[in-house]
Amino acid sequence: MSSRLRWLCFAGLFVGAAAVLAAGCSDDTTKKVPAVGEAGEAGEGNGGTGAGTAGKGGTGGATITPEGGAAGQPVTTEGGAAGATVTPEGGAAGELGVAGAAGAGPLACTPVGDATGVVLDAENQQTACRGALVVTDFTATSADDSFTCCGATDSYELTVNGVVNNREGSVGGQLSLTVPADAPAGVQSVTVTCSGGPTTYTFDLDVTTTENAPVPGEASGPIYPNDDLQISGSNLNGVTTVLAIMVGDPFTTAECQIDTESSTDSLLVCNFDGDIEPGDYTLAIGKDCGFATNTPSFTVIPAPSL
Protein backbone atom coordinates (compact mmCIF):
# COMPACT_ATOMS: atom_id res chain seq x y z
CA MET A 1 0.00 0.00 0.00
CA SER A 2 1.36 3.42 -0.92
CA SER A 3 2.07 5.86 1.88
CA ARG A 4 -0.55 8.25 0.49
CA LEU A 5 -3.21 5.53 0.45
CA ARG A 6 -2.22 4.38 3.92
CA TRP A 7 -2.79 7.90 5.24
CA LEU A 8 -6.22 7.96 3.61
CA CYS A 9 -7.00 4.68 5.36
CA PHE A 10 -5.77 6.07 8.62
CA ALA A 11 -7.93 9.14 8.14
CA GLY A 12 -11.01 6.92 7.92
CA LEU A 13 -9.98 5.10 11.08
CA PHE A 14 -9.22 8.28 12.95
CA VAL A 15 -12.54 9.98 12.28
CA GLY A 16 -14.54 6.81 12.87
CA ALA A 17 -12.80 6.12 16.14
CA ALA A 18 -13.39 9.68 17.29
CA ALA A 19 -17.15 9.11 16.80
CA VAL A 20 -17.35 6.03 18.65
CA LEU A 21 -11.20 -0.29 33.67
CA ALA A 22 -12.46 -23.32 64.10
CA ALA A 23 -12.24 -21.88 66.95
CA GLY A 24 -11.71 -24.85 69.28
CA CYS A 25 -13.07 -24.71 72.84
CA SER A 26 -10.46 -25.38 75.56
CA ASP A 27 -11.44 -28.32 77.89
CA ASP A 28 -11.33 -28.17 81.70
CA THR A 29 -9.60 -31.36 82.80
CA THR A 30 -11.63 -33.46 85.24
CA LYS A 31 -10.61 -32.71 88.78
CA LYS A 32 -10.31 -35.38 91.54
CA VAL A 33 -12.81 -35.11 94.40
CA PRO A 34 -10.93 -34.27 97.62
CA ALA A 35 -11.49 -36.33 100.76
CA VAL A 36 -13.96 -35.16 103.38
CA GLY A 37 -12.29 -33.20 106.20
CA GLU A 38 -11.91 -34.78 109.65
CA ALA A 39 -14.55 -34.01 112.22
CA GLY A 40 -13.69 -31.48 114.90
CA GLU A 41 -13.79 -32.28 118.58
CA ALA A 42 -16.99 -31.62 120.40
CA GLY A 43 -17.24 -28.07 121.64
CA GLU A 44 -18.57 -26.83 124.84
CA GLY A 45 -21.81 -24.92 124.94
CA ASN A 46 -23.21 -24.07 121.48
CA GLY A 47 -21.85 -26.71 119.12
CA GLY A 48 -18.34 -27.75 118.31
CA THR A 49 -15.56 -25.35 117.47
CA GLY A 50 -13.70 -27.64 115.05
CA ALA A 51 -15.46 -26.78 111.79
CA GLY A 52 -13.32 -27.24 108.71
CA THR A 53 -13.19 -24.51 106.00
CA ALA A 54 -15.57 -25.21 103.09
CA GLY A 55 -13.87 -25.72 99.72
CA LYS A 56 -14.89 -23.42 96.88
CA GLY A 57 -16.18 -24.74 93.60
CA GLY A 58 -16.48 -28.39 94.55
CA THR A 59 -13.60 -28.91 96.98
CA GLY A 60 -13.95 -31.37 99.78
CA GLY A 61 -17.01 -31.13 102.01
CA ALA A 62 -16.66 -29.02 105.15
CA THR A 63 -17.19 -30.54 108.60
CA ILE A 64 -19.69 -28.37 110.44
CA THR A 65 -21.04 -28.97 113.93
CA PRO A 66 -24.76 -28.15 113.86
CA GLU A 67 -26.23 -26.49 116.87
CA GLY A 68 -27.31 -29.06 119.41
CA GLY A 69 -26.23 -31.96 117.19
CA ALA A 70 -23.47 -34.44 117.31
CA ALA A 71 -20.08 -32.95 117.01
CA GLY A 72 -18.39 -32.97 113.67
CA GLN A 73 -21.29 -34.25 111.49
CA PRO A 74 -20.15 -33.93 107.89
CA VAL A 75 -22.31 -31.77 105.63
CA THR A 76 -22.02 -31.50 101.82
CA THR A 77 -21.62 -27.94 100.62
CA GLU A 78 -23.97 -26.56 98.03
CA GLY A 79 -22.85 -26.33 94.46
CA GLY A 80 -22.90 -29.93 93.30
CA ALA A 81 -20.40 -32.71 93.46
CA ALA A 82 -16.79 -31.75 93.92
CA GLY A 83 -14.73 -31.36 90.77
CA ALA A 84 -17.56 -31.78 88.24
CA THR A 85 -16.54 -31.10 84.64
CA VAL A 86 -18.68 -28.36 83.06
CA THR A 87 -19.10 -28.02 79.26
CA PRO A 88 -18.67 -24.38 78.13
CA GLU A 89 -21.70 -22.77 76.64
CA GLY A 90 -21.81 -22.52 72.85
CA GLY A 91 -22.36 -25.37 70.44
CA ALA A 92 -19.85 -27.13 68.29
CA ALA A 93 -17.83 -25.04 65.87
CA GLY A 94 -19.73 -24.24 62.66
CA GLU A 95 -18.75 -25.82 59.37
CA LEU A 96 -16.47 -23.91 57.01
CA GLY A 97 -18.30 -21.96 54.31
CA VAL A 98 -18.10 -23.08 50.73
CA ALA A 99 -15.64 -21.00 48.69
CA GLY A 100 -17.30 -18.75 46.11
CA ALA A 101 -16.53 -18.96 42.43
CA ALA A 102 -13.79 -16.67 41.13
CA GLY A 103 -15.09 -13.39 39.74
CA ALA A 104 -14.26 -11.87 36.38
CA GLY A 105 -11.02 -9.86 36.26
CA PRO A 106 -11.03 -6.07 35.95
CA LEU A 107 -9.77 -6.27 32.38
CA ALA A 108 -12.60 -8.49 31.16
CA CYS A 109 -13.71 -7.31 27.69
CA THR A 110 -16.82 -7.82 25.57
CA PRO A 111 -16.64 -7.11 21.82
CA VAL A 112 -19.06 -4.43 20.63
CA GLY A 113 -20.56 -4.34 17.14
CA ASP A 114 -20.44 -6.87 14.31
CA ALA A 115 -17.06 -7.93 12.94
CA THR A 116 -17.07 -11.50 11.62
CA GLY A 117 -14.18 -13.29 9.94
CA VAL A 118 -11.57 -10.64 10.73
CA VAL A 119 -8.18 -11.41 9.15
CA LEU A 120 -4.92 -9.55 9.84
CA ASP A 121 -1.73 -9.41 7.83
CA ALA A 122 0.23 -12.54 8.81
CA GLU A 123 3.55 -10.71 8.40
CA ASN A 124 2.51 -7.57 10.20
CA GLN A 125 4.89 -6.50 12.97
CA GLN A 126 5.43 -2.95 14.11
CA THR A 127 7.84 -1.25 16.45
CA ALA A 128 5.66 0.53 18.98
CA CYS A 129 6.25 3.26 21.56
CA ARG A 130 4.70 2.90 24.96
CA GLY A 131 1.53 5.00 25.08
CA ALA A 132 1.31 5.25 21.27
CA LEU A 133 -1.68 4.60 19.03
CA VAL A 134 -0.79 1.76 16.64
CA VAL A 135 -2.71 0.99 13.45
CA THR A 136 -2.94 -2.16 11.33
CA ASP A 137 -5.04 -3.25 8.31
CA PHE A 138 -7.74 -5.92 8.38
CA THR A 139 -10.27 -7.62 6.13
CA ALA A 140 -13.52 -9.23 7.28
CA THR A 141 -16.50 -11.27 6.11
CA SER A 142 -18.85 -8.65 7.55
CA ALA A 143 -18.44 -5.67 9.84
CA ASP A 144 -20.23 -2.58 11.08
CA ASP A 145 -18.78 0.76 10.03
CA SER A 146 -17.16 0.92 13.47
CA PHE A 147 -16.76 -1.80 16.10
CA THR A 148 -14.68 -2.76 19.14
CA CYS A 149 -12.68 -5.96 19.63
CA CYS A 150 -10.61 -7.24 22.55
CA GLY A 151 -6.86 -7.80 22.35
CA ALA A 152 -4.62 -9.77 24.69
CA THR A 153 -0.95 -10.73 25.01
CA ASP A 154 0.80 -12.78 27.67
CA SER A 155 1.31 -9.59 29.72
CA TYR A 156 -1.51 -7.13 29.08
CA GLU A 157 -4.90 -6.58 27.48
CA LEU A 158 -6.01 -3.91 25.02
CA THR A 159 -9.12 -2.41 23.52
CA VAL A 160 -9.01 -2.63 19.71
CA ASN A 161 -11.10 -0.20 17.65
CA GLY A 162 -12.00 -1.01 14.08
CA VAL A 163 -13.24 1.21 11.27
CA VAL A 164 -14.37 0.00 7.84
CA ASN A 165 -13.18 2.01 4.83
CA ASN A 166 -16.43 1.32 2.97
CA ARG A 167 -14.67 0.43 -0.26
CA GLU A 168 -16.99 -1.02 -2.84
CA GLY A 169 -16.76 -4.80 -3.20
CA SER A 170 -14.78 -5.48 0.00
CA VAL A 171 -15.10 -5.35 3.77
CA GLY A 172 -11.98 -4.03 5.43
CA GLY A 173 -10.27 -1.13 7.03
CA GLN A 174 -7.98 -0.54 9.96
CA LEU A 175 -7.71 -1.55 13.59
CA SER A 176 -6.14 0.72 16.19
CA LEU A 177 -4.96 0.06 19.72
CA THR A 178 -3.06 2.01 22.37
CA VAL A 179 0.10 0.42 23.79
CA PRO A 180 -0.03 0.49 27.62
CA ALA A 181 2.43 2.83 29.32
CA ASP A 182 3.80 -0.13 31.32
CA ALA A 183 3.95 -2.66 28.48
CA PRO A 184 7.10 -4.81 28.71
CA ALA A 185 9.76 -4.19 26.08
CA GLY A 186 10.11 -6.68 23.25
CA VAL A 187 7.93 -8.56 20.77
CA GLN A 188 4.54 -9.84 21.90
CA SER A 189 1.66 -11.11 19.78
CA VAL A 190 -1.76 -9.57 20.28
CA THR A 191 -4.64 -12.01 19.79
CA VAL A 192 -7.67 -10.03 18.64
CA THR A 193 -11.16 -11.36 19.44
CA CYS A 194 -14.15 -9.70 17.78
CA SER A 195 -17.87 -10.55 17.84
CA GLY A 196 -17.34 -13.33 15.29
CA GLY A 197 -14.53 -15.01 17.25
CA PRO A 198 -10.70 -14.85 17.22
CA THR A 199 -8.92 -13.43 14.21
CA THR A 200 -7.11 -15.66 11.76
CA TYR A 201 -3.73 -14.12 12.56
CA THR A 202 -2.15 -12.26 15.45
CA PHE A 203 -0.86 -8.72 15.49
CA ASP A 204 2.78 -8.51 16.63
CA LEU A 205 4.09 -5.49 18.55
CA ASP A 206 7.78 -4.86 19.19
CA VAL A 207 7.55 -2.47 22.16
CA THR A 208 10.52 -0.12 22.39
CA THR A 209 11.70 1.93 25.36
CA THR A 210 14.15 4.04 23.35
CA GLU A 211 11.41 6.37 22.07
CA ASN A 212 8.38 7.99 23.65
CA ALA A 213 5.04 8.50 21.95
CA PRO A 214 4.45 12.10 20.81
CA VAL A 215 2.21 14.18 23.07
CA PRO A 216 0.93 17.18 21.09
CA GLY A 217 -0.87 20.03 22.82
CA GLU A 218 -2.48 22.99 21.06
CA ALA A 219 -2.12 23.99 17.42
CA SER A 220 -1.92 27.60 16.25
CA GLY A 221 -4.64 29.13 14.19
CA PRO A 222 -6.58 30.14 12.40
CA ILE A 223 -4.01 30.08 9.59
CA TYR A 224 -3.95 30.82 5.89
CA PRO A 225 -3.15 27.93 3.53
CA ASN A 226 0.48 29.08 3.18
CA ASP A 227 1.11 29.89 6.87
CA ASP A 228 3.28 27.84 9.17
CA LEU A 229 1.35 25.67 11.59
CA GLN A 230 2.86 25.48 15.09
CA ILE A 231 2.04 22.64 17.48
CA SER A 232 3.12 22.69 21.13
CA GLY A 233 3.65 19.57 23.23
CA SER A 234 6.32 17.13 24.36
CA ASN A 235 8.24 14.19 22.89
CA LEU A 236 7.96 15.86 19.46
CA ASN A 237 11.50 15.07 18.34
CA GLY A 238 11.35 12.26 15.82
CA VAL A 239 7.85 13.06 14.53
CA THR A 240 7.67 11.95 10.90
CA THR A 241 4.02 12.62 10.03
CA VAL A 242 1.61 15.51 10.54
CA LEU A 243 -1.65 14.79 8.73
CA ALA A 244 -4.59 17.23 8.70
CA ILE A 245 -8.02 15.57 8.41
CA MET A 246 -11.03 17.74 7.59
CA VAL A 247 -13.82 17.45 10.15
CA GLY A 248 -16.89 15.80 8.61
CA ASP A 249 -15.05 14.44 5.57
CA PRO A 250 -12.51 11.69 6.38
CA PHE A 251 -11.23 11.59 2.81
CA THR A 252 -10.20 15.25 2.64
CA THR A 253 -6.66 15.30 4.00
CA ALA A 254 -3.48 17.32 3.68
CA GLU A 255 0.02 16.46 4.79
CA CYS A 256 2.00 19.17 6.57
CA GLN A 257 5.71 19.28 5.70
CA ILE A 258 7.82 19.39 8.88
CA ASP A 259 10.41 22.14 9.28
CA THR A 260 13.08 20.17 11.13
CA GLU A 261 15.33 23.21 11.64
CA SER A 262 12.63 25.17 13.44
CA SER A 263 11.15 22.27 15.40
CA THR A 264 12.18 21.17 18.90
CA ASP A 265 11.07 18.52 21.38
CA SER A 266 8.33 20.87 22.62
CA LEU A 267 7.41 22.71 19.40
CA LEU A 268 6.57 21.26 15.99
CA VAL A 269 6.56 23.60 12.95
CA CYS A 270 5.21 22.56 9.54
CA ASN A 271 3.68 24.06 6.37
CA PHE A 272 1.04 22.87 3.89
CA ASP A 273 2.55 24.94 1.03
CA GLY A 274 -0.94 26.11 0.09
CA ASP A 275 -2.11 22.54 -0.54
CA ILE A 276 -4.99 22.66 1.94
CA GLU A 277 -8.57 23.85 1.64
CA PRO A 278 -10.22 26.22 4.13
CA GLY A 279 -12.11 24.40 6.88
CA ASP A 280 -11.86 22.84 10.32
CA TYR A 281 -9.29 20.09 10.82
CA THR A 282 -7.91 17.65 13.34
CA LEU A 283 -4.30 16.47 13.33
CA ALA A 284 -2.87 12.96 13.32
CA ILE A 285 0.72 13.21 14.55
CA GLY A 286 2.99 10.20 14.49
CA LYS A 287 6.45 8.72 14.71
CA ASP A 288 7.70 5.49 13.20
CA CYS A 289 6.68 3.80 16.48
CA GLY A 290 3.09 5.01 16.56
CA PHE A 291 0.73 7.98 16.63
CA ALA A 292 -0.24 10.36 19.41
CA THR A 293 -3.51 9.51 21.11
CA ASN A 294 -4.60 13.15 21.40
CA THR A 295 -5.42 15.15 18.27
CA PRO A 296 -5.19 18.96 18.21
CA SER A 297 -7.67 20.89 16.08
CA PHE A 298 -7.20 24.04 14.03
CA THR A 299 -8.88 26.08 11.31
CA VAL A 300 -7.70 27.16 7.87
CA ILE A 301 -9.24 30.38 6.52
CA PRO A 302 -9.21 31.59 2.91
CA ALA A 303 -6.24 33.65 1.90
CA PRO A 304 -7.01 37.37 1.53
CA SER A 305 -7.72 38.45 -2.01
CA LEU A 306 -5.24 40.84 -3.59
Side-chain angles (χ1 to χ4, degrees):
M1 179 183 295
S2 69
S3 60
R4 183 65 175 175
L5 185 56
R6 179 171 296 276
W7 292 128
L8 292 178
C9 293
F10 177 78
L13 168 71
F14 170 77
V15 174
V20 180
L21 305 339
C25 297
S26 59
D27 295 337
D28 288 335
T29 56
T30 303
K31 297 181 176 64
K32 295 182 179 179
V33 179
V36 177
E38 296 180 357
E41 295 180 358
E44 296 180 0
N46 295 329
T49 59
T53 302
K56 295 181 180 179
T59 59
T63 302
I64 301 176
T65 304
E67 294 183 2
Q73 181 178 351
V75 178
T76 303
T77 58
E78 294 182 1
T85 301
V86 180
T87 303
E89 293 184 1
E95 296 181 358
L96 292 175
V98 179
L107 294 175
C109 173
T110 301
V112 178
D114 172 65
T116 303
V118 175
V119 178
L120 302 178
D121 183 355
E123 299 180 354
N124 189 1
Q125 175 175 309
Q126 293 191 33
T127 299
C129 304
R130 287 173 172 170
L133 182 71
V134 178
V135 179
T136 185
D137 296 328
F138 78 92
T139 59
T141 303
S142 65
D144 291 339
D145 287 347
S146 62
F147 55 91
T148 300
C149 303
C150 306
T153 72
D154 292 338
S155 303
Y156 49 89
E157 296 188 10
L158 307 132
T159 298
V160 183
N161 296 310
V163 172
V164 174
N165 288 338
N166 292 320
R167 290 181 185 160
E168 186 176 352
S170 66
V171 178
Q174 291 187 311
L175 300 179
S176 67
L177 53 87
T178 301
V179 182
D182 58 351
V187 178
Q188 292 202 40
S189 294
V190 181
T191 300
V192 180
T193 302
C194 303
S195 58
T199 58
T200 303
Y201 303 110
T202 57
F203 176 42
D204 292 341
L205 291 179
D206 184 4
V207 179
T208 178
T209 58
T210 60
E211 285 189 273
N212 295 314
V215 184
E218 296 182 352
S220 60
I223 64 170
Y224 297 124
N226 282 311
D227 285 345
D228 284 343
L229 179 67
Q230 297 186 2
I231 306 159
S232 63
S234 61
N235 300 334
L236 300 180
N237 275 339
V239 167
T240 57
T241 302
V242 178
L243 186 69
I245 305 166
M246 180 176 281
V247 175
D249 187 350
F251 297 106
T252 299
T253 64
E255 189 167 358
C256 199
Q257 305 301 316
I258 300 171
D259 183 350
T260 56
E261 293 184 359
S262 301
S263 298
T264 67
D265 197 50
S266 58
L267 180 66
L268 194 60
V269 180
C270 64
N271 195 291
F272 294 99
D273 295 328
D275 189 20
I276 188 171
E277 299 177 10
D280 295 323
Y281 290 84
T282 55
L283 289 169
I285 298 172
K287 296 183 179 182
D288 291 337
C289 60
F291 286 83
T293 55
N294 53 322
T295 52
S297 60
F298 71 104
T299 299
V300 177
I301 58 177
S305 57
L306 299 176

